[in-house]
Amino acid sequence: MKETVVSGIRSTGKLHLGNYYGALSNFVKMQDEYNCFFFIADLHSLTTHPTPGDLSRTVREVVVEYLAAGINPETSTIYVQSDVPEVAELYLYLNMNAYLGELERATAFKDKVRSNPDNVNAGLLTYPVLMASDILLHHGTKVPVGKDQEQHLEMTRTFANRFNRLYNVEYFQEAMAFSYSNKLVKIPGLDGNGKMGKSNGDASCVYLSDAPEVIRKKVMRAVSDSGPTEMNQPKPEAIQNLFDLMKVVSTADTLSHFEDLYNNCAIRYGDFKKQLAEDMILATEPVRSRINDITNDDEYLKKVVRLGAEKASESARKTIQEVREIIGIKRLF
Ligand code: TYM
């Protein structure tokens, strides 16, 4: 039997290169080898209170981008998280043995508390429990995600093992974060620090749907410095980030060409950025053109989402029935 893969992306807007290289490109590569569930995490996106209009628009955008990236809805299950309400039931059960201390210690939670102290809601605190529910609902064992999700996967394993111990069963399996390279990926942004992410602003992100002119503009404005002054000098973070991006979108030859120029203090950032922008445009071109083709095809999107909801619900119902039985929840009469 094929191993089961589960992963999702929140519906918070258009997908960027971080989502693509951290998650989506692996989804596409994994789909023939595994039994795959790829969903749009609309319930997770509620922690930041989107308007109803924004929520449904962004869910649709992510469905379109999944398809545009090459996920095949016939072989993989593409679904919207809220179309499978069983996940909320499993979340409730798992919340009973997720502890405040461990939830408060999660790095992503601490980051959110720091950056948004006025919105520390219970949904944010228990975000990793909902994520564990997504994965365990289908008995996923491989979870393609970026580096920032590694700790959430550890927590998923903790909750699964704890459930098994509590009820003395071997019901849930351990889910592992997955990437084709040995290391989980972290794609940096264009703003000189950290990872590419919407919370760092549009200028730091290259979106899959960005037009070539927009990509050129963003990359030319990326943070850099006045250039190296000594041979083989270590790169400051902003420059290293641009080289890391080049490593992902360009050929090995191009990368080593610019590495050599940097090490010999002969690099011209204008040329370097121009090349980086062109390679990003090339790398995103197939997805971008398909986004434009699919985006207005209501009939097709409806078919995909309905089929996905059906397939995901079947798997979810079975799990919930079994979990209820294990816990001892049954109709009295
Ligand atoms: P989200 O929407 O924040 O991110 C979606 C995926 O994109 C990856 N990612 C990155 N990878 C590398 N570099 C970056 N700069 C970068 N930015 C984003 C994330 O690691 C993630 O894989 N909590 C999840 C959504 C989720 C989920 C799940 C994932 C909900 N339930 C169950 C797997 C299994 C998240 O971070 O979404």
Side-chain angles (χ1 to χ4, degrees), residues 6-12 15-24 27 39 41 44 81 127 130-132 134-135 143-149 152-153 185-189 195-198:
V6 180
S7 194
I9 297 182
R10 280 177 305 154
S11 47
T12 49
L15 304 187
H16 51 67
L17 292 183
N19 301 131
Y20 187 68
Y21 290 106
L24 191 50
F27 296 3
F39 63 95
H44 276 98
Q81 189 184 27
Y127 184 107
L130 183 54
M131 206 169 138
D134 291 320
I135 298 166
V143 184
V145 282
K147 177 82 182 151
D148 59 334
Q149 297 302 310
H152 288 157
L153 264 292
V185 177
K186 177 183 157 190
I187 302 294
K195 62 165 192 157
M196 187 174 287
K198 266 163 281 193

Side-chain angles (χ1 to χ4, degrees), residues 31 44 54 90 97 127 145 153 162 209 229 246 319 323:
Q31 59 182 342
H44 276 98
D54 281 350
L90 185 56
N97 50 47
Y127 184 107
V145 282
L153 264 292
R162 206 174 275 156
S209 55
T229 50
M246 182 169 261
T319 303
V323 168

